[in-house]
Amino acid sequence: MRIARFSIDGNVAFGAVEGDSPPGTTEGLVLDIIKGIPFADFELSGTKVPLNKVRLLPPVLPNKVIAFGRNYAEHAKELGNEVPDTPFAFFKPSTSVIGPGDEIQYPNFSQELHHEAELAVVIGRMCREVPRERVKDVVFGFTAANDVTARDVQKREKQWARAKGFDTSCPLGPWVETDLTLAQASDLTIQCTVNGTQRQLGRTSDMITSIEDLIVNISEAMTLLPGDVILTGTPEGVGPLNVGDEVAVTIEGIGTLTNKVVKRG
């Protein structure tokens, strides 16, 4: 099931996305409005609205976004970094999250903004110290993410809070796909285009540390809450974004997340 979060006539709701559409469009898609919230038992209301009549929002509002760096060997290599011996985690604040179609604001303190296409895992229940064999029970679904990075700031500062945590630096969407298994999610095509030109193309099977082991690793340290998001790393091909660019992250079996870069006002 594809579950989207949206607003219509000033109201915010979740809905199940139904139908098929040509790539990059929403033509023919409808939302069946959900009664309640998707992290608990819910029913479909039967009330349907065309998806192109609503504004899609970030599919979840996470308490925290936990991102893992250098989880693809070729990406680490292209930036001149060693592959870490153990998973390397950092945070993006909830205020960094935006949805499909929202604007990425180029921060005034940077002159080198980069895209990073990533598979995002959405947590479905409160959990801590999750055994590997139980990871499947705590995953709600998967969505696309763009770990937008102020690369020059990342290089000169010893921690990444500003470089990766500025407002609008975490686009998520367009929805959460709940029908993918962990095995399926571990072998998907992931790509990024800028103004229609391909920049990144890889497969999630190239991850150094698996989705299961990333969740085991971070849940050893902290409680994960429903709606929390885990970013699993980016394949090689990261590159610059400029004001006016349209950047799109497409993940096989999930969909396309598109955002435009604007000057920060």
Side-chain angles (χ1 to χ4, degrees):
M1 183 178 290
R2 294 169 291 177
I3 295 181
R5 182 171 162 270
F6 66 95
S7 66
I8 184 171
D9 298 330
N11 298 309
V12 175
F14 288 94
V17 182
E18 300 177 347
D20 296 304
S21 65
T25 75
T26 59
E27 192 67 34
L29 298 181
V30 297
L31 287 162
D32 192 336
I33 298 175
I34 288 173
K35 294 180 180 179
I37 61 172
F39 301 111
D41 292 336
F42 67 86
E43 297 179 357
L44 298 178
S45 68
T47 300
K48 300 186 180 184
V49 59
L51 192 144
N52 58 13
K53 298 296 184 182
V54 309
R55 178 191 171 199
L56 286 179
L57 302 173
V60 290
L61 286 179
N63 173 271
K64 52 188 172 293
V65 178
I66 304 156
F68 285 91
R70 303 171 189 169
N71 198 30
Y72 288 73
E74 291 303 312
H75 168 61
K77 181 179 177 181
E78 72 179 343
L79 295 181
N81 296 313
E82 298 291 333
V83 173
D85 294 331
T86 59
F88 180 80
F90 59 92
F91 289 101
K92 294 174 82 79
S94 59
T95 48
S96 69
V97 174
I98 58 174
D102 289 342
E103 295 174 336
I104 299 168
Q105 297 180 6
Y106 203 118
N108 296 327
F109 56 84
S110 174
Q111 286 75 51
E112 189 183 4
L113 201 65
H114 279 197
H115 57 80
E116 294 191 7
E118 309 211 6
L119 174 71
V121 184
V122 180
I123 298 300
R125 63 177 67 178
M126 182 184 294
C127 58
R128 188 180 66 176
E129 298 180 347
V130 182
R132 198 177 194 278
E133 65 273 13
R134 295 294 304 277
V135 168
K136 65 182 184 299
D137 299 326
V138 306
V139 171
F140 176 66
F142 303 88
T143 191
N146 192 345
D147 177 19
V148 183
T149 301
R151 192 71 70 198
D152 51 347
V153 178
Q154 183 188 27
K155 291 175 181 176
R156 70 172 178 257
E157 296 184 357
K158 293 184 179 180
Q159 47 76 39
W160 298 354
R162 296 205 313 151
K164 287 178 170 284
F166 61 88
D167 291 353
T168 75
S169 67
C170 190
L172 296 173
W175 40 65
V176 178
E177 175 56 72
T178 65
D179 286 342
L180 288 172
T181 66
L182 283 165
Q184 290 169 328
S186 298
D187 190 19
L188 301 174
T189 300
I190 178 170
Q191 64 177 313
C192 177
T193 63
V194 178
N195 303 324
T197 300
Q198 185 174 285
R199 293 276 190 84
Q200 293 181 266
L201 179 63
R203 295 195 71 81
T204 56
S205 55
D206 294 328
M207 289 182 195
I208 296 165
T209 302
S210 69
I211 296 168
E212 292 94 329
D213 288 336
L214 293 176
I215 292 175
V216 169
N217 174 274
I218 200 62
S219 70
E220 287 176 339
M222 65 192 68
T223 299
L224 302 177
L225 301 176
D228 280 353
V229 170
I230 312 292
L231 303 189
T232 58
T234 193
E236 66 177 317
V238 301
L241 293 172
N242 297 300
V243 171
D245 284 347
E246 183 176 84
V247 55
V249 176
T250 301
I251 301 181
E252 177 186 3
I254 297 175
T256 298
L257 166 67
T258 303
N259 302 90
K260 188 170 183 178
V261 183
V262 301
K263 183 178 180 180
R264 189 171 185 173

